[in-house]
Amino acid sequence: MMTVVSCITNEHNLLLVLVAALICLFGSAVTLRLLHRGASASGGQRLGWMFLAAVAGGGGVWTTHFVAMLAYEPPAPVSFDPAMTVMSLVIAMVGLLVSFSVSALGVTPVFALAGGALVGLSYSAMHYTGMFAYHVVGLIEWQFGYVVTSILLPVLCSATSVILISQRHLPTRRFWLAVVLLVVGIVGLHFTAMAAYRVTPLAGSSPEIDTAAILALALAIAVVALIIVGTGLASYLIDTNVRTDSQEKLRHMAAHDALTGLPNRANFTSRLSRLVQEAGGHDRKFAVIGVDLNRFKEINDTLGHSAGDEALRIISRRMAQCLKDDEFVARLGGDEFAAVTKCGSRSEVSAFSNRLAEIFNRPIRIGSMEVSVGASMGAAIWPDDAQELDELVNNADLAMYHAKHAFLDGLCFYDAGIGALVRKRRQLAEALRHALDHDELDVHYQEQMSLSTGEVQGYEALLRWTHPQLGPISPSEFIPVAEENGLIGSLGVWVLRRACMDAAVWDPPCRVAVNVSAVQFMDASLPRLVHEVLLETGLPPQRLELELTETALIKDKARSLHIIRQIKALGVGLALDDFGSGYSSLETLRSFPFDKIKLDRAFVDGIEQDRQSKAIVRAVLALGKSLDIPVLAEGIETDEQMSVLRMEGCDEGQGYLLGKPRPVGDLAQKGVPAPMEPPRQHRA
């Protein structure tokens, strides 16, 4: 040991020794960083990182060796063999590339150990090749013990260093320990080998050393080495920055909605958890507000999905801009959002919701169109309405669904009554879905009668549902539930198939009228479905009549006309249902080829006393005659109503006076109407 220290202090230029040590430290740190990055990569990227590590490591250790050799001051003249000097650099780089490739195989720690040992051997091969390139005018002798020690030292140190660096998770302390070990191995190799090297100058020879030239050469080589190693460091830093940016983008993408940029559901849940931790034990409250846009579907249906996406982006941007401290908004999916605010009272929550409502009600310009969506909002407050976050969010949803179903303009706060009501509707939706899947529904039929002859012209198919526990459930109750839960289309298909199947065996053959919902009508496959059902049931097309409301037509008139023409081409009749209410207009009758007009029951109810109702009925009947379209009056329940309609020339009628909806087994089978019910003023 003292011999090695004496060699350093007495036979070397300490300034160049310091330069060599700094190069060694810098090169080792960069090399191990590149090696660790390569070990975590795969395929071509791994090979690229291994190559950079080998170039940086080989250049760094060769420069350390060469500068240290220049620092050596032998008692005799020296020179260098250029070929052998270059060969030592090649050996260092190629040896490290092979060593790092072996260590990166990573199947077991044995590969890291073997690769690390090869690193030490590569350093030794580089050093002794460089020593052979070092020509001294004198007698050379080697001390074998120091030679063996100089080889074992880098093998052990580099093997340990590579094992430390090969693990995927690399704490800072472990990294610098690996760097120190590698530096110790390199420095120990050089100076132990130099201690093994003994020079006896020949008589008459004296060293002619130009100290300034050697210093300049050493510094020039050091600069080149720093450039090589610095290139590897720059590659590492660039990749680290790119990775950091990419990881930040991935984290942002994972926590935010791609369309709107708002926090997503996962981010929303995480923030709520933090709010609970912050509020716990400090008597603080916060409110969750569930938000569902009211007319977003209309924008999608009439203007297209791109317009709907743009509307969501505009609304989200406006919401983000209106937020204050302790408030945030997340998009949970579709047109559903959730807003959160810290609060001390309900009035603060209401003030926050009013700010949001102003955004939802503000017109949105999309292209040349201006639209307004509006929203239904429901709030639940922690910890008053729930202790658990899942329950809190669910309660806010319940309040929001209640606001939507009840057409409330303002914010609806959760309470137990609302929760019970909404849960009942959800349970009803599940039960309806089960009834549809298990064919537990039924179709009743109501007569449509000629008012002039009293003959039955046909029957309207009406869906009925009897719940096993709750008994009969009114269509006015379960139809809205079906619309809210996306079941209305499936129900429509089921009714169409069942009605055609029943009507196909009627004797005498009568017409059957089936209602088609707006959702079902906007399905471009409706004509094909009707055709398939007719073929499947054997019902002649002229005996089927589809009843449409004007609401189903106005969303896309060109598309509606195309679908209607396809249905008419099958020979199926079309009736305009509930005429006189909603969007009814003469333009609809002019644009679409209807076979019948069904006068809304609202005008029949007051026809005996109300002059305006009678005038409207008279006008509709006159319009029907002028267009050669028969008119059917709905909701006839009294003899007086029947008398007025006959006097005004109404073609057909339907109502409790003429016959209640009945199961198919109870219908008249001989072509005459079922026995007329006693006159009634109100429906049962």
Side-chain angles (χ1 to χ4, degrees):
M1 180 66 181
M2 293 303 297
T3 303
V4 175
V5 173
S6 175
C7 175
I8 296 174
T9 57
N10 298 328
E11 300 178 11
H12 286 77
N13 183 325
L14 294 182
L15 176 61
L16 293 183
V17 169
L18 178 61
V19 171
L22 291 176
I23 294 173
C24 182
L25 178 63
F26 179 58
S28 298
V30 172
T31 300
L32 291 181
R33 279 296 183 192
L34 295 172
L35 176 60
H36 180 259
R37 181 59 52 84
S40 61
S42 60
Q45 285 190 352
R46 170 176 289 188
L47 180 60
W49 286 114
M50 294 303 168
F51 177 77
L52 284 175
V55 171
V61 74
W62 180 85
T63 303
T64 299
H65 162 78
F66 198 85
V67 171
M69 289 297 297
L70 290 175
Y72 180 57
E73 297 175 342
V78 298
S79 62
F80 291 92
D81 183 340
M84 293 296 289
T85 301
V86 173
M87 179 60 68
S88 66
L89 175 61
V90 173
I91 288 174
M93 291 184 176
V94 173
L96 288 183
L97 180 60
V98 173
S99 303
F100 292 159
S101 299
V102 172
S103 68
L105 293 176
V107 179
T108 64
V110 174
F111 287 92
L113 180 64
L118 286 175
V119 169
L121 291 175
S122 299
Y123 287 161
S124 299
M126 177 276 305
H127 177 83
Y128 283 105
T129 302
M131 290 295 294
F132 290 136
Y134 190 73
H135 295 168
V136 180
V137 180
L139 298 176
I140 309 298
E141 62 177 314
W142 294 89
Q143 297 187 22
F144 184 73
Y146 282 106
V147 172
V148 173
T149 302
S150 70
I151 295 174
L152 291 178
L153 187 61
V155 168
L156 294 175
C157 289
S158 60
T160 307
S161 177
V162 171
I163 288 177
L164 290 173
I165 213 77
S166 63
Q167 300 180 30
R168 184 172 294 273
H169 179 63
L170 184 63
T172 302
R173 181 178 299 177
R174 183 190 297 164
F175 168 74
W176 285 110
L177 176 59
V179 172
V180 169
L181 285 171
L182 195 61
V183 170
V184 168
I186 295 171
V187 173
L189 161 67
H190 179 84
F191 289 108
T192 304
M194 294 307 295
Y197 185 75
R198 287 289 174 260
V199 178
T200 302
L202 296 176
S205 66
S206 60
E208 298 178 0
I209 300 174
D210 187 344
T211 305
I214 290 178
L215 181 61
L217 177 61
L219 292 178
I221 293 173
V223 169
V224 173
L226 289 176
I227 293 174
I228 295 173
V229 177
T231 302
L233 178 61
S235 300
Y236 175 82
L237 293 177
I238 292 171
D239 181 70
T240 299
N241 289 335
V242 170
R243 286 190 176 210
T244 301
D245 292 343
S246 299
Q247 289 172 355
E248 185 61 33
K249 289 179 181 178
L250 288 174
R251 280 194 294 269
H252 185 274
M253 291 172 60
H256 292 78
D257 174 59
L259 178 65
T260 64
L262 292 178
N264 59 16
R265 186 181 292 273
N267 194 346
F268 170 72
T269 303
S270 176
R271 291 198 185 193
L272 283 187
S273 299
R274 288 199 298 270
L275 277 178
V276 171
Q277 293 173 358
E278 294 171 2
H282 295 85
D283 196 27
R284 297 174 182 171
K285 298 180 180 181
F286 64 88
V288 175
I289 301 177
V291 180
D292 187 79
L293 304 184
N294 289 335
R295 291 179 289 278
F296 177 72
K297 188 175 184 302
E298 294 180 15
I299 295 176
N300 266 344
D301 291 343
T302 57
L303 302 179
H305 289 283
S306 60
D309 290 346
E310 181 62 19
L312 289 176
R313 281 191 288 265
I314 293 173
I315 291 171
S316 299
R317 186 165 58 249
R318 290 177 179 177
M319 283 193 291
Q321 292 170 350
C322 88
L323 295 177
K324 299 179 180 178
D325 292 339
D326 300 328
E327 299 173 349
F328 73 90
V329 176
R331 184 189 179 205
L332 304 185
D335 60 343
E336 290 189 15
F337 298 84
V340 178
T341 180
K342 293 182 179 179
C343 63
S345 64
R346 285 193 170 192
S347 60
E348 294 178 4
V349 182
S350 296
F352 178 44
S353 71
N354 290 337
R355 272 191 283 130
L356 294 178
E358 188 275 330
I359 290 172
F360 299 133
N361 295 326
R362 194 190 310 168
I364 299 172
R365 176 164 291 279
I366 302 176
S368 60
M369 300 286 293
E370 263 197 3
V371 295
S372 178
V373 293
S376 299
M377 292 185 284
I381 299 176
W382 185 92
D384 298 349
D385 296 325
Q387 294 284 340
E388 299 296 328
L389 290 182
D390 289 343
E391 184 181 1
L392 181 71
V393 174
N394 184 61
N395 289 345
D397 283 343
L398 293 178
M400 180 266 290
Y401 284 125
H402 177 75
K404 194 174 191 69
H405 178 67
F407 301 103
L408 300 179
D409 292 331
L411 178 68
C412 176
F413 285 93
Y414 171 82
D415 61 42
I418 287 176
L421 181 62
V422 176
R423 288 188 183 94
K424 179 183 176 183
R425 293 180 66 82
R426 289 184 173 177
Q427 291 171 359
L428 198 65
E430 289 302 316
L432 182 58
R433 186 176 285 107
H434 180 274
L436 179 61
D437 292 340
H438 294 81
D439 203 26
E440 295 175 356
L441 302 171
D442 197 8
V443 176
H444 287 195
Y445 298 90
Q446 187 175 30
E447 289 92 340
Q448 295 179 335
M449 183 184 297
S450 170
L451 296 187
S452 60
T453 65
E455 293 181 355
V456 174
Q457 301 296 309
Y459 297 89
E460 181 179 5
L462 301 169
L463 182 61
R464 293 294 182 263
W465 178 28
T466 301
H467 191 278
Q469 285 79 39
L470 303 177
I473 299 177
S474 170
S476 62
E477 185 176 356
F478 72 77
I479 291 298
V481 171
E483 291 174 342
E484 292 171 10
N485 292 272
L487 297 175
I488 195 67
S490 300
L491 286 178
V493 174
W494 187 89
V495 172
L496 176 64
R497 182 170 280 106
R498 173 60 65 85
C500 291
M501 190 181 304
D502 289 342
V505 296
W506 286 347
D507 184 20
C510 294
R511 180 188 64 227
V512 64
V514 179
N515 286 282
V516 175
S517 69
V519 173
Q520 190 178 7
F521 180 72
M522 291 308 294
D523 187 348
S525 64
L526 177 62
R528 186 179 74 249
L529 171 66
V530 172
H531 187 222
E532 290 174 355
V533 170
L534 291 174
L535 292 176
E536 176 187 327
T537 60
L539 181 71
Q542 62 274 15
R543 289 182 52 203
L544 175 62
E545 184 175 82
L546 301 182
E547 297 185 356
L548 306 172
T549 60
E550 193 165 10
T551 307
L553 306 175
I554 64 167
K555 292 182 178 180
D556 188 337
K557 289 189 175 182
R559 182 178 181 181
S560 298
L561 183 59
H562 178 66
I563 293 175
I564 283 178
R565 284 173 175 166
Q566 287 181 293
I567 293 174
K568 292 280 289 182
L570 297 174
V572 175
L574 291 171
L576 179 59
D577 200 9
D578 298 333
F579 186 78
S581 64
Y583 298 96
S584 296
S585 67
L586 300 180
E587 172 65 19
T588 301
L589 291 176
R590 187 186 71 84
S591 302
F592 299 98
F594 286 106
D595 301 294
K596 183 186 293 181
I597 299 172
K598 295 191 71 174
L599 182 64
D600 189 75
R601 66 177 65 246
F603 302 107
V604 176
D605 281 344
I607 197 172
E608 310 98 307
Q609 298 89 15
D610 189 353
R611 293 179 55 191
Q612 289 183 340
S613 294
K614 184 181 290 187
I616 291 174
V617 170
R618 185 176 294 151
V620 173
L621 293 174
L623 178 64
K625 284 183 170 52
S626 65
L627 296 175
D628 198 22
I629 302 176
V631 177
L632 182 148
E634 297 182 280
I636 302 175
E637 297 184 354
T638 67
D639 290 326
E640 291 80 2
Q641 293 171 350
M642 172 78 82
S643 176
V644 172
L645 289 169
R646 279 177 172 164
M647 287 178 58
E648 297 296 335
C650 183
D651 300 286
E652 296 181 19
Q654 180 179 342
Y656 276 27
L657 181 68
L658 307 178
K660 287 184 178 181
R662 292 174 291 172
V664 65
D666 295 346
L667 297 182
Q669 299 296 322
K670 296 184 179 180
V672 295
M676 199 174 283
E677 298 286 335
R680 306 205 177 183
Q681 297 298 329
H682 303 284
R683 296 188 185 91

